Structure formats: C-alpha cells, structure tokens
C-alpha cells in the first residue's frame, strides 16, 4: 500500500516583442520568461498480505495485518522560480545567407525542505542517519533539512 498526498502547481508566462527592420533584413525578438513551480509530497507505505481466492482472507505477520510500515515514507515541500530576459536577431544578409545572434540572462532559484537520508544518490553512507527508512519510520522522528540554491546563467549565441 502506498498513500501519497502530493501537489504540484505551475505558472509559466512568456512575453515577447517582435519586429522587423524597414527593409525586412532584420527580425528581432525581445522577451521575458517567468516560470514558477511549487510541489510537495507526504507519503507513507505499508505491506498487507492476503490469500488469493474468491473471498480472500487477511494474513497476519507477527500478529499484525500490516508489516514493513512506512519503510518507503517520503516528505518534500519545495519551490522553483526561473526568470529570464532574452534578445535575438535574425539577419538575412543575402537571399542565400543569413546570420542569427542572441543573448539570454537567467536567474534560477529553488528551495524547500525535505527528509533526505542521502545527499548523493551514489553514496552508500547516509548523510542523515535519522532519515534512513526502516520499519515504522516517521518524519517527526527524523530530520527535515532546508535546501536553497540560486543560479545566474548568462548565454550568448552567434
């Protein structure tokens, strides 16, 4: 059994101005992107066994119908925002030759909180041992960590 309580909300906007030179040799674009995302999940897990027949009966494991309770429990609450401004120009030099150039600047921010056990998926040593999933794992007994990252990215194309 897996019980997910999750959500995802997105807002994506692009605004763009375009134009051409009087002789139509240049086609330019000036634009802006704003992309916003919010997502989260609270999940718990358990295993229930039953017989396979017309009227199945529950099977008990060590006196309980549920076993391996919450060994796959998850918690994540995060957000992402990307803002970009760009300018580009297509120049028709001759009937057979054209050039294109542009610049783009981006600001990307993400953050939130989660209950990760490993910061690196390839690392076999847990960063937060209290978050290693085991039977009856619970987020309130683990460690919820904050994460933040901000990136500025500048590009040019010729």
């Amino acid at each position: 059994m897996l019980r997910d309580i999750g959500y995802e909300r997105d807002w994506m906007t692009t605004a763009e101005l375009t134009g051409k030179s009087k002789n139509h040799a240049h086609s330019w674009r000036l634009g802006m992107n704003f992309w916003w995302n919010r997502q989260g999940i609270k999940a718990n897990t358990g295993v229930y066994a039953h017989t396979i027949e017309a009227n199945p009966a529950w099977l008990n494991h060590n006196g309980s119908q549920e076993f391996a309770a919450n060994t796959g429990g998850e918690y994540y609450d995060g957000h992402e925002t990307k803002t970009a401004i760009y300018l580009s120009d297509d120049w028709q030099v001759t009937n057979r030759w054209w050039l294109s150039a542009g610049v783009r600047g981006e600001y990307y921010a993400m953050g939130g909180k989660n209950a990760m056990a490993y910061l690196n998926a390839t690392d076999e040593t847990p960063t937060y041992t209290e978050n290693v999933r085991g039977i009856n794992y619970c987020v309130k007994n683990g460690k919820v960590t904050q994460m933040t990252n901000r990136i500025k990215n500048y590009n040019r194309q010729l």
Side-chain angles (χ1 to χ4, degrees), residues 95-157:
N95 288 342
R96 300 177 139 207
W97 185 36
W98 59 272
L99 298 173
S100 183
V103 293
R104 178 180 175 92
E106 294 179 344
Y107 176 72
Y108 176 64
M110 64 168 284
K113 52 190 176 179
N114 63 29
M116 287 192 311
Y118 301 89
L119 289 181
N120 183 342
T122 60
D123 189 359
E124 294 181 15
T125 305
T127 309
Y128 302 104
T129 55
E130 59 271 71
N131 288 342
V132 174
R133 303 322 191 248
I135 294 175
N136 294 323
Y137 168 77
C138 183
V139 171
K140 71 178 182 180
N141 298 329
K143 179 177 174 108
V144 174
T145 56
Q146 296 286 334
M147 57 181 177
T148 302
N149 197 0
R150 290 177 172 78
I151 300 167
K152 293 176 185 167
N153 185 20
Y154 303 101
N155 296 299
R156 66 184 189 288
Q157 171 190 345

Side-chain angles (χ1 to χ4, degrees), residues 3 12 14 19 25 36 39-40 48 52 54 57-58 62-63 66 68 71 76 81 91 122 127 131 136 142 147:
R3 180 175 178 254
M12 302 176 100
T14 297
W36 176 87
Q39 67 275 344
Y48 296 88
I52 300 178
W58 289 109
N62 294 332
E66 179 183 36
T71 54
Y76 176 78
T81 304
W91 178 26
T122 60
T127 309
N131 288 342
N136 294 323
M147 57 181 177

Side-chain angles (χ1 to χ4, degrees), residues 67-87:
F67 57 97
N70 226 15
T71 54
E74 291 298 327
Y75 174 77
Y76 176 78
D77 183 13
H79 62 275
E80 299 178 48
T81 304
K82 183 183 276 190
T83 305
I85 297 174
Y86 58 90
L87 172 67

